[in-house]
Amino acid sequence: MSFNGTTDWIRIAYLTLAPLLGVAAASPLFAIALLASGQSSTITGTLAGQVVMEGFMHWRISPWVRRLITRTLAILPAVLVIGLRGASSVTDLLTLSQVVLALQLPLAMFPLLHFTSSKKRMGRSAVDRSS
């Protein structure tokens, strides 16, 4: 099998599991793994954003509004891209989501690091950045 820019990595991952687990077990387990990884990414981004907004920026939003905003921002781009480009764009969409996540998490981490190392805000619990 040749690997290039058009390689369907999701299909390759599934085809790797099929001989190990059998087709009947590989399909649902692969679907559960994809769902769990997506939820993990979404929850990580949502919680990091919530900590930065509430703890560092002192922005207060009711939980239902925050959930509505984060779920809409998470789902709407996927629905639009798949609607416009079709099901063949799912692999590209997964790759793009990982790139966006890789860019998003550092933006949330910098304020968190600043917040947790602030003696003014954290007192004795402040993280020492010198070590």
Side-chain angles (χ1 to χ4, degrees):
M1 181 177 290
S2 66
F3 299 104
N4 57 39
T6 61
T7 302
D8 186 354
W9 293 103
I10 299 297
R11 183 166 170 73
I12 290 171
Y14 168 74
L15 291 174
T16 303
L17 282 177
L20 297 171
L21 304 172
V23 176
S27 293
L29 288 176
F30 192 67
I32 290 168
L34 282 177
L35 180 62
S37 69
Q39 288 301 307
S40 175
S41 298
T42 301
I43 290 168
T44 301
T46 301
L47 290 177
Q50 178 184 348
V51 168
V52 170
M53 283 175 47
E54 290 183 359
F56 188 67
M57 307 287 286
H58 300 292
W59 293 350
R60 302 281 186 245
I61 298 176
S62 66
W64 73 270
V65 172
R66 182 176 53 246
R67 288 182 197 115
L68 179 67
I69 291 169
T70 57
R71 298 309 184 266
T72 302
L73 290 175
I75 293 171
L76 189 61
V79 170
L80 288 175
V81 169
I82 292 171
L84 293 173
R85 294 189 57 202
S88 64
S89 64
V90 172
T91 300
D92 294 338
L93 189 59
L94 285 170
T95 303
L96 178 63
S97 72
Q98 295 307 305
V99 170
V100 169
L101 184 63
L103 295 172
Q104 170 202 2
L105 287 178
L107 293 174
M109 288 305 298
F110 289 126
L112 284 174
L113 289 172
H114 180 71
F115 179 71
T116 58
S117 63
S118 169
K119 294 268 188 219
K120 175 184 166 193
R121 297 186 189 276
M122 298 295 291
R124 294 182 304 143
S125 299
V127 175
D128 183 15
R129 290 192 293 184
S130 62
S131 52

